[in-house]
Amino acid sequence: MRIPVFSFLLPALLLSCVLSAANAAVPCEGGTVFEDRNGNGRRDSGEPGIAGVKVSDGVTLAATDANGAYRLPPVDGRSLFVIKPAGYLSTRRSDGLPDLWANTRTAPGPVLKFGGMPVQPVACRNFALRKAKPSPNRQQRLDVVVFADPQAKSQRDVEYYRRDIVEPLKHDTAIDMGHGFGRFYFDGIAGDMGISLGDITHDDLSLYPALTAATTSLGVPWLHVAGNHDLDFDATRDEDSLLTFRHHFGPDTHAWEEHEATFVLMDDVIHQPGSKPSYIGGLREDQFAFLERYLPTVPRDRLLVLAVHIPFFDAESGRETFRRADRERLFALLQAFPRVLLLSGHSHTQRHVHHGAASGWHGATPLHEYNVGAACGAFWSGVKDADGIPDTTMADGTPNGYARLQVRPGGEYSLSWHPTRLSAGNAANSQAMRLSAPQVLRRGAWPAFAVHANMFMGQDDTRVEYRIDAGAWRPMQRVVAPDPWLVAENTRDDQADALRGYDRAPPAGPSSHLWRGILPTDLVLGEHRVEVRAFDRWQGEQRAVVQYRLEGAAE
């Protein structure tokens, strides 16, 4: 992984707008993208412009000339942004986010509870980039940290997010310098970049600065997708529903380029005020206009990643949760790319979907969508641990956490899920799966009881096997059913005569990554060891162990 170098200075506006006789600002129609060699955020003598950098307002696409200059007339209400080219790093805004965008707002918009987008006079804007330096930590791959649904409802939840997601990630990636003083975290070593897949908050947009401060403490360039809980719900039309989000995070359609992958991040929440449902998944005409201009410029020798909030698949049988016409139109644009990965959030469960003709994909191979589990898990619910952090296991039995996407040159990629905590009292836990089994069975009982393995990154074709007492390996059967561990947690909540946590665990729902193996009861009395192994497509063989006991019983 490479350690990004950022400028910590606020960028200055480097080109002056021509003033009229009345000394009022005349809209500027361009600027420069330049190489910030000394890292101070402003263009100094000898710092050249960078040719061929793409600049957009979410609809129109321009490119810088040989001197790094671009021309893009401002349009009120749009966000101007630079598509960071491969081989360069962005400078950093005062809040720690990449400084690659500027909003245009010449007249007051609707009055919104959380402020919306304030008036910002149009000024010529230069953008600073720094050349990426080779790093000894670089392992010939791009390392991307992926959060879905941090979804803080309150400052208390922001602290859960910081303590449960961000701080452990720092600890896990800290470096032992060998001097005996322990491990140290250095700015930016958690990954090469990060993405949050929407629902940054749970309707309280005033929490954005606190959440951003926690996230950017990782020192990683971080990009944000908008979710349905990031909307200005008092906006009366979809066009105004992300004004506050855009004030804090910039354009709701954005792109970012690396040598190994191209990232396109899009708002796919269509706000429908006054209707039921109040939103649906889909894309706007201006987004298709951008894609139709931008995608032909994207190299085909790398991975193309589309990051959104609402999944492209229909989450409910018989109900359109993503507009089918939009999905088919999008998939047609993607069909020419040999390697495409879709990333989505929203569901607070985890699954892999491989799109085919039934969902409008007609490529040579199925189109992979990874629906990423939530950082907040089940909305920061459940029993708190010794550190005061809720268990917050999701409805499909997946523990909360974050994902990593690693991309190698040529576009080959791997994915992994990183639980932040698993229940300490369950010895069957591993980072890859959770096992559930009865503790004791009667010897000679009808063999109807099973060990269950919830393989968090499991897919339909994942090979999962088990063996008893180091015997022969036998296949486990994939089942679509609730996770027994969460069912038991629901029962404990039901039987408690007082609240066990601020919110109880979610009702267990069908899990798409659960396997079952019958436990034999014709073995000798006593303890028996059950070992499970699963073959993860990217991480290889994963193992976990649990025990059960056979006892004799008098009639």
Side-chain angles (χ1 to χ4, degrees):
M1 117 189 13
R2 54 189 169 225
I3 301 178
V5 179
F6 290 103
S7 167
F8 289 88
L9 300 176
L10 284 171
L13 299 177
L14 302 178
L15 292 181
S16 300
C17 291
V18 179
L19 300 181
S20 67
N23 210 33
V26 174
C28 177
E29 297 192 352
T32 302
V33 180
F34 68 96
E35 183 185 343
D36 186 17
R37 290 179 171 174
N38 60 14
N40 66 0
R42 61 178 182 269
R43 191 175 188 185
D44 297 316
S45 176
E47 293 185 329
I50 305 173
V53 178
K54 285 165 272 194
V55 184
S56 180
D57 60 5
V59 179
T60 306
L61 190 68
T64 58
D65 63 17
N67 299 313
Y70 68 89
R71 183 178 183 277
L72 198 63
V75 177
D76 189 35
R78 292 186 186 173
S79 299
L80 180 74
F81 61 92
V82 168
I83 298 174
K84 188 201 75 66
Y88 286 88
L89 303 171
S90 66
T91 56
R92 183 184 288 184
R93 298 163 59 90
S94 60
D95 60 6
L97 295 175
D99 186 30
L100 291 178
W101 56 271
N103 293 322
T104 299
R105 195 70 174 179
T106 58
V111 177
L112 300 172
K113 177 181 178 180
F114 294 106
M117 183 187 293
V119 171
Q120 300 173 86
V122 180
C124 297
R125 176 65 202 270
N126 288 0
F127 292 95
L129 293 172
R130 299 195 67 184
K131 277 192 175 180
K133 296 179 180 179
S135 166
N137 290 326
R138 181 74 169 169
Q139 300 176 7
Q140 293 302 309
R141 66 187 182 196
L142 178 73
D143 192 356
V144 186
V145 183
V146 183
F147 294 167
D149 303 75
Q151 205 145 350
K153 304 179 294 295
S154 63
Q155 188 61 46
R156 177 201 62 210
D157 288 359
V158 175
E159 280 301 294
Y160 291 154
Y161 169 68
R162 182 185 64 80
R163 292 171 57 214
D164 191 37
I165 301 292
V166 176
E167 293 300 329
L169 179 53
K170 286 184 177 181
H171 178 270
D172 291 346
T173 53
I175 297 174
D176 188 344
M177 303 298 289
H179 45 41
F181 293 100
R183 295 162 60 88
F184 288 80
Y185 183 80
F186 295 91
D187 192 52
I189 65 170
D192 298 314
M193 60 181 290
I195 300 173
S196 289
L197 297 173
D199 282 0
I200 314 304
T201 71
H202 187 89
D203 303 341
D204 186 353
L205 312 190
S206 70
L207 297 174
Y208 281 154
L211 285 156
T212 297
T215 305
T216 58
S217 72
L218 292 167
V220 174
W222 210 275
L223 308 177
H224 290 78
V225 173
N228 55 291
H229 286 285
D230 294 313
L231 302 177
D232 286 295
F233 285 104
D234 46 350
T236 59
R237 58 180 194 152
D238 183 53
E239 292 89 335
D240 298 324
S241 65
L242 286 176
L243 292 179
T244 301
F245 175 91
R246 290 171 57 203
H247 173 57
H248 289 274
F249 300 115
D252 59 45
T253 300
H254 189 37
W256 180 282
E257 297 179 350
E258 299 287 350
H259 288 299
E260 301 86 349
T262 298
F263 297 84
V264 178
L265 301 93
M266 296 187 296
D267 160 41
D268 69 340
V269 182
I270 306 296
H271 185 39
Q272 303 177 141
S275 300
K276 290 186 178 182
S278 61
Y279 65 88
I280 189 172
L283 298 176
R284 308 183 305 264
E285 280 299 320
D286 60 285
Q287 294 174 303
F288 279 113
F290 170 76
L291 291 171
E292 287 164 358
R293 291 178 172 94
Y294 175 60
L295 289 180
T297 74
V298 173
R300 308 287 171 88
D301 62 348
R302 61 193 67 172
L303 181 67
L304 174 61
V305 180
L306 266 71
V308 298
H309 179 66
I310 295 179
F312 293 103
F313 57 86
D314 285 331
E316 300 177 23
S317 178
R319 187 168 82 86
E320 187 179 53
T321 55
F322 193 98
R323 296 192 302 208
R324 183 178 183 88
D326 291 355
R327 182 171 62 234
E328 292 181 349
R329 184 176 174 186
L330 172 65
F331 285 2
L333 292 173
L334 302 179
Q335 191 169 327
F337 290 86
R339 293 184 177 87
V340 183
L341 172 65
L342 309 178
L343 296 176
S344 59
H346 184 59
S347 67
H348 294 258
T349 56
Q350 181 156 274
R351 64 186 291 194
H352 296 268
V353 173
H354 296 272
H355 293 276
S359 56
W361 173 252
H362 301 286
T365 58
L367 174 60
H368 181 200
E369 177 175 356
Y370 174 31
N371 186 216
V372 183
C376 76
F379 309 92
W380 302 113
S381 67
V383 176
K384 293 182 180 180
D385 64 10
D387 296 322
I389 299 174
D391 174 82
T392 203
T393 294
M394 291 172 251
D396 66 347
T398 304
N400 76 310
Y402 65 91
R404 278 193 184 274
L405 165 65
Q406 295 181 328
V407 191
R408 297 190 179 277
E412 294 293 334
Y413 65 89
S414 64
L415 292 162
S416 56
W417 179 248
H418 299 264
T420 57
R421 288 164 299 111
L422 287 172
S423 301
N426 189 334
N429 293 335
S430 78
Q431 287 296 101
M433 71 183 88
R434 173 158 35 204
L435 304 186
S436 301
Q439 294 187 53
V440 60
L441 294 173
R442 179 179 63 83
R443 184 176 184 273
W446 182 260
F449 303 97
V451 57
H452 286 82
N454 191 332
M455 176 66 179
F456 309 133
M457 287 293 282
Q459 304 190 48
D460 292 357
D461 60 353
T462 300
R463 177 181 155 206
V464 183
E465 300 172 335
Y466 75 123
R467 66 180 178 180
I468 313 295
D469 298 333
W473 290 102
R474 293 181 287 177
M476 297 182 76
Q477 178 187 5
R478 180 176 172 268
V479 293
V480 179
D483 184 317
W485 181 89
L486 189 54
V487 171
E489 189 70 3
N490 293 159
T491 300
R492 287 187 283 267
D493 281 339
D494 288 342
Q495 294 176 344
D497 59 5
L499 289 174
R500 300 172 68 226
Y502 179 78
D503 279 324
R504 57 181 288 161
S511 175
S512 65
H513 38 78
L514 190 68
W515 278 261
R516 183 176 189 270
I518 293 295
L519 293 174
T521 59
D522 57 354
L523 305 176
V524 299
L525 296 175
E527 295 287 340
H528 296 278
R529 175 184 170 93
V530 184
E531 192 173 4
V532 175
R533 66 179 182 183
F535 295 87
D536 184 283
R537 179 171 299 181
W538 302 289
Q539 306 306 316
E541 184 177 335
Q542 308 290 317
R543 294 199 183 195
V545 175
V546 71
Q547 290 184 326
Y548 74 108
R549 187 173 69 257
L550 290 177
E551 292 186 356
E555 293 189 9

